Amino acid sequence: MNKALLCIAPILLGIGSPSPARAQDSAATFTALRAVDGRMAGIAYRLTTANVALCRETAPTPGWAIHAIDQYDAPLRDQARRSFGFETPIAVEAVVPGSPAAAAGVREGDSIVAIDGKRVDGAAPGKTATSAARDAVTATIAALPADRPLRVDLLRDGKPRSVTIAASPGCRSAFEVLLGPGMDASADGRIVQIAVRFFERYTDDEVAVVVAHELAHNILHHATRLDAAGVKRGLLSEVGRNGRLFRLTEDQADLLGMYLLRNAGYDPRIAVRFWRDHGGDVDGGLFRSRTHPSSAARAKALEAEIARIPANAPKPYVPPIIATVDQPLE
């Protein structure tokens, strides 16, 4: 992800030596960026670890957000180093309070030297912003056994430090905040992406409704199953069988997302309230895609589903829809 496009930070797009005032503005913007990514990390950690029993693919989930120096455009990297450390190309941007990473003593600003004995890529960043180095480290962690402790070698103020993070299995999915002016949210089976504007406009509980919906798509393998069903995307996605199957996956993600929230200790009725109060902001109102239900229909369906939850349902509760993950979409 190219972090030069942060909509709340146009000052960062300037090139050249910053004035003291501009440097102060830049530092404040990076602080705001860390706060947003930390909020996403906290929501993701809570949802993925509480619902690991619902997920076929699992991964170590330390409870942190990591980033790479080359995610930032070249003119921004000096300020990124001042704000975030980056003694190595990969650093810990934020740590979720109460997480295994926090318990192991990991701090924001720690630079990552090695994961489970494997050194991170030490190549100098190129001129073009890219998330490839960050994604490679994320993939390395995700490929490790989820039920084993995670050994991490760090640098902090030039001093090496090794920590062992307690095993913390979670649903296997990456999470990313999209920078820019849109109100977009998506999931492709591998990653959940949520626009920064959700964090500007809504509380963490409200954002969690959107994150849980997108995570539900990944848990239910919707992208793969839609491909297997031969659906057409683009303009044809709203027509006939294509539209019906896309609508089916949206309905399923709404319902499973509510259960993900409940299992993670959220009041599941926040999903009802979100779609009732804010759905028009997200689904486009009159310009809503026909592959998505209206916000009123979403709220009504969720309310009915909540009423069907058994009074003694455990946490985590594995709803029947999980059994459909291997079934063709029809």
Side-chain angles (χ1 to χ4, degrees):
M1 178 176 64
N2 181 338
K3 289 194 173 183
L5 301 179
L6 184 59
C7 64
I8 61 175
I11 194 74
L12 290 182
L13 297 178
I15 298 176
S17 300
S19 66
R22 174 164 292 189
Q24 186 175 9
D25 288 342
S26 299
T29 298
F30 279 116
T31 299
L33 176 60
R34 168 176 273 160
V36 169
D37 284 341
R39 289 172 65 189
M40 171 67 109
I43 294 166
Y45 172 78
R46 185 171 172 180
L47 288 170
T48 54
T49 56
N51 287 287
V52 68
L54 282 65
C55 298
R56 179 174 299 169
E57 290 82 22
T58 62
T61 308
W64 63 15
I66 62 174
H67 58 167
I69 186 65
D70 56 2
Q71 287 180 257
Y72 301 88
D73 272 355
L76 310 180
R77 289 174 187 161
D78 285 345
Q79 181 59 55
R81 289 187 179 93
R82 288 191 291 271
S83 295
F84 299 133
F86 283 120
E87 297 178 78
T88 68
I90 307 292
V92 177
E93 183 182 10
V95 179
V96 177
S99 67
V106 179
R107 298 180 189 171
E108 61 182 35
D110 284 348
S111 295
I112 299 177
V113 176
I115 298 290
D116 214 39
K118 181 178 180 180
R119 293 187 65 87
V120 302
D121 182 12
K127 294 182 179 180
T128 304
T130 173
S131 64
R134 189 277 316 270
D135 293 346
V137 174
T138 299
T140 294
I141 296 170
L144 295 171
D147 58 352
R148 295 183 190 173
L150 184 68
R151 183 164 59 88
V152 185
D153 296 326
L154 304 166
L155 271 181
R156 183 185 299 167
D157 297 327
K159 298 179 181 179
R161 174 182 172 84
S162 293
V163 299
T164 299
I165 302 173
S168 179
C171 300
R172 182 171 179 171
S173 182
F175 296 84
E176 186 172 59
V177 178
L178 290 173
L179 306 178
M183 287 287 286
D184 300 315
S186 64
D188 65 1
R190 181 186 64 86
I191 189 169
V192 168
Q193 296 178 316
I194 306 293
V196 70
R197 288 197 64 192
F198 283 96
F199 293 90
E200 295 171 353
R201 300 179 69 166
Y202 304 126
T203 67
D204 283 4
D205 281 8
E206 291 169 331
V207 175
V209 174
V210 182
V211 176
H213 172 94
E214 299 302 338
L215 177 59
H217 280 306
N218 284 353
I219 292 172
L220 292 171
H221 298 179
H222 278 157
T224 300
R225 293 163 69 196
L226 285 167
D227 287 342
V231 300
K232 302 293 188 294
R233 288 172 168 79
L235 292 176
L236 293 177
S237 67
E238 300 191 15
V239 178
R241 177 176 177 271
N242 295 326
R244 179 173 57 79
L245 293 185
F246 273 114
R247 174 65 178 268
L248 173 63
T249 62
E250 291 302 320
D251 290 342
Q252 289 181 346
D254 276 349
L255 296 183
L256 180 57
M258 180 274 295
Y259 284 107
L260 300 181
L261 292 167
R262 179 187 178 275
N263 287 345
Y266 294 96
D267 178 353
R269 289 170 293 188
I270 63 173
V272 177
R273 292 192 294 269
F274 179 83
W275 291 114
R276 186 171 288 154
D277 297 343
H278 305 298
D281 301 339
V282 180
D283 68 19
L286 291 175
F287 301 100
R288 170 179 58 86
S289 167
R290 285 176 289 179
T291 63
H292 290 61
S294 69
S295 53
R298 289 176 129 156
K300 185 176 180 180
L302 287 167
E303 204 163 36
E305 186 71 10
I306 289 170
R308 287 192 286 268
I309 299 175
N312 60 347
K315 290 183 182 179
Y317 176 66
V318 182
I321 195 172
I322 289 295
T324 70
V325 70
D326 290 320
Q327 298 175 9
L329 290 171
E330 286 298 342

